[in-house]
Amino acid sequence: MKIRESGMPEREMWERFFSPAKILTTLGLNNQVVDVVEFGCGYGTFTIPAAKVIKGKIYTMDIEPDMIRITNEEARKHGLANVKTLLRDFMAEGSGLSDGSLDYVMLFNILHLEKPMILINEAKRILRKGGKLGIIHWNYDPNTPRGPSMDIRPKPEDCIKWAESSGFSGTARYDLKPYHYGIVLNKEEDAK
């Protein structure tokens, strides 16, 4: 099940919007993190920098074969053996990953989908106790150069509310200038 179209630009334009390594550091993805999953790898913009810094594997999935192909090509180009791409309809099928098996879940520019709680609940299921949920999305501002239409673009408060309703806590919010915001939450130690 494809998610709502967000108007993803061509790769060259897309990658000018971010400083991925800096954003990942800001959101707490570092060399102490072992295993990670990214829902919706796109061009591998965040996949490759994450793979370079973490201790374990990054599972990255997308429903688009071209996005998987591009991400695989980038991983090979950078000599990264810890990138595991999965062509998968994670909205309909889930991630296929084991309960409590990951340290960090990346939900980057994806929560404009129709049923965000499906993805947030899946993130909670696969995270280890104390694991982190990282969210990035376009600012809720019609003057951003791209991004989903305002009628489907989530506000930071929406993302926080959804995550907290699923049992995440310890919210930290970041301004990822010029066009995005970031949020990091923790899976509660006693959450189930």
Side-chain angles (χ1 to χ4, degrees), residues 4-18:
R4 295 188 278 204
E5 183 55 47
S6 66
M8 183 150 174
E10 294 299 317
R11 183 176 180 182
E12 190 174 296
M13 175 185 268
W14 177 250
E15 292 183 351
R16 285 194 309 250
F17 292 136
F18 305 103

Side-chain angles (χ1 to χ4, degrees), residues 72 83 149:
N72 277 328
V83 176
S149 64

Side-chain angles (χ1 to χ4, degrees), residues 35-38 57-61 82 84 86 97 102:
D35 295 320
V36 175
V37 67
E38 175 185 31
K57 295 178 184 169
I58 180 166
Y59 299 90
T60 188
M61 45 190 84
N82 64 337
K84 305 300 177 196
L86 303 164
L97 299 169
L102 299 161

Side-chain angles (χ1 to χ4, degrees), residues 4-154:
R4 295 188 278 204
E5 183 55 47
S6 66
M8 183 150 174
E10 294 299 317
R11 183 176 180 182
E12 190 174 296
M13 175 185 268
W14 177 250
E15 292 183 351
R16 285 194 309 250
F17 292 136
F18 305 103
S19 174
K22 182 178 177 184
I23 288 172
L24 292 173
T25 298
T26 299
L27 299 182
L29 200 79
N30 57 43
N31 63 5
Q32 299 306 302
V33 175
V34 182
D35 295 320
V36 175
V37 67
E38 175 185 31
F39 288 94
C41 63
Y43 302 116
T45 304
F46 290 96
T47 311
I48 302 308
K52 288 178 178 179
V53 71
I54 64 173
K55 285 183 180 180
K57 295 178 184 169
I58 180 166
Y59 299 90
T60 188
M61 45 190 84
D62 208 297
I63 196 169
E64 296 290 341
D66 283 345
M67 299 294 103
I68 294 295
R69 179 186 54 76
I70 290 167
T71 301
N72 277 328
E73 288 171 0
E74 286 297 310
R76 279 192 298 277
K77 182 171 121 182
H78 291 273
L80 297 168
N82 64 337
V83 176
K84 305 300 177 196
T85 56
L86 303 164
L87 180 62
R88 189 170 183 92
D89 182 350
F90 50 78
M91 288 303 294
E93 303 167 1
S95 67
L97 299 169
S98 300
D99 291 358
S101 61
L102 299 161
D103 298 304
Y104 200 106
V105 172
M106 297 163 55
L107 299 182
F108 292 1
N109 295 301
I110 196 166
L111 288 179
H112 56 278
L113 44 73
E114 289 88 349
K115 297 179 180 177
M117 289 306 297
I118 290 174
L119 208 45
I120 289 171
N121 287 331
E122 179 67 357
K124 182 181 174 200
R125 183 188 70 76
I126 62 178
L127 274 171
R128 293 181 176 112
K129 291 179 181 176
K132 295 188 181 305
L133 171 62
I135 297 170
I136 294 174
H137 220 296
W138 290 90
N139 289 331
Y140 194 77
D141 177 355
N143 295 315
T144 56
R146 296 300 289 231
S149 64
M150 297 307 293
D151 60 319
I152 65 170
R153 191 181 304 200

